[in-house]
Amino acid sequence: MTRVAIVTGGSRGIGRAAAERLAADGMAVVIVYAGNQTEAGKTVEGIKASGGQAVAAQADVGDENAVAAAFDVAEQTFGGVDVVVNSAGIMPLGTVAEMDLEVFDRIMRTNARGTFVVSQQAARRLRTGGAIINVSSSVVGLRFPQYGAYAMSKGGVEALTLVLARELRGRDITVNTVAPGPTATALFLEGKDEETVANLAKQAPLERIGVPEDISEVVSFLAGPARWINGQTIRANGGII
């Protein structure tokens, strides 16, 4: 039986790399995207061109009805769901004093509520032997200025991970989080000059910025062979903290 993965935020960056890696691992993949249908389509076509199986489903991860419909697509197209990767996220920056609270609410809706809503469907629908993989950020530990709202949203994701792992006792479903460090995605690079990126690269002992494939390798591990890792947060950041 082919295993089936749902990847939110699968049209770009870490989500796309995760979807491509899971497809290469032999899974059928549902690419959930918020609004960029063109990029989602490119991801699907790329997977198919490599011999994999993939479809796209549009959904605001904060909308429980849209998320339920995306799970329906997975079940109707491929027969069920085994793996869920919660990769959808936004990262507007700003100090606590100056951040517009409407922006704060948007961050929380996508990053915190979105992960919760998707995890709720996953908890209800995943087949035995499944895996839920959340995506946090190493900034939860680094605590850079201006990342307060973002770090707060991702800290909640890490807290949810062990709670859900315990709630799924007896189901043979693992729940883990991967927390990337600075990674060369459009989300991370936006608004940063070359000097800023170079300084961040120097912080890790490996002296480089991560690439999406570094993170998708960990996702693949947690989605497949890593059955004894559960309720954990893995900081994939080259040793930055």
Side-chain angles (χ1 to χ4, degrees):
M1 182 180 68
T2 299
R3 281 165 65 82
V4 180
I6 291 177
V7 181
T8 71
S11 64
R12 297 196 309 165
I14 289 170
R16 174 183 276 187
E20 292 171 342
R21 175 59 185 264
L22 295 179
D25 290 343
M27 296 188 197
V29 183
V30 177
I31 309 294
V32 177
Y33 67 97
N36 199 328
Q37 185 176 11
T38 300
E39 289 302 313
K42 288 179 182 177
T43 306
V44 169
E45 291 309 311
I47 288 171
K48 288 182 175 179
S50 299
Q53 301 179 74
V55 296
Q58 192 277 331
D60 167 7
V61 290
D63 180 339
E64 63 271 30
N65 295 318
V67 169
F71 274 76
D72 290 343
V73 168
E75 291 175 348
Q76 292 162 8
T77 307
F78 299 123
V81 184
D82 302 283
V83 174
V84 169
V85 181
N86 272 307
S87 186
I90 60 173
M91 194 174 64
L93 303 181
T95 64
V96 174
E98 300 298 332
M99 175 162 279
D100 187 318
L101 291 179
E102 289 186 5
V103 175
F104 175 87
D105 288 343
R106 282 200 298 114
I107 295 169
M108 290 299 163
R109 178 179 174 83
T110 299
N111 299 359
R113 177 187 168 93
T115 297
F116 191 96
V117 168
V118 174
S119 294
Q120 184 175 73
Q121 287 296 317
R124 293 171 179 174
R125 303 211 206 185
L126 250 63
R127 294 186 286 208
T128 299
I132 299 169
I133 301 148
N134 297 322
V135 177
S136 177
S137 169
S138 288
V139 81
V140 173
L142 293 167
R143 299 182 178 93
F144 293 139
Q146 298 194 47
Y147 283 80
Y150 181 72
M152 188 176 173
S153 71
K154 292 300 191 179
V157 168
E158 294 185 11
L160 177 68
T161 294
L162 181 54
V163 172
L164 184 54
R166 288 172 169 167
E167 289 180 352
L168 295 176
R169 174 182 293 274
R171 296 266 304 276
D172 189 25
I173 293 171
T174 61
V175 189
N176 292 289
T177 292
V178 56
T183 305
T185 66
L187 181 71
F188 169 75
L189 294 172
E190 184 178 358
K192 295 182 175 69
D193 58 30
E194 288 185 17
E195 184 180 2
T196 299
V197 173
N199 286 336
L200 285 167
K202 291 175 185 175
Q203 291 191 28
L206 296 178
E207 294 191 334
R208 68 173 175 87
I209 296 290
V211 295
E213 290 73 20
D214 291 322
I215 312 307
S216 66
E217 185 174 53
V218 182
V219 170
S220 172
F221 176 60
L222 294 174
R227 301 308 302 168
W228 197 232
I229 298 176
N230 194 21
Q232 305 302 310
T233 295
I234 298 176
R235 303 215 177 281
N237 58 32
I240 196 170
I241 55 171

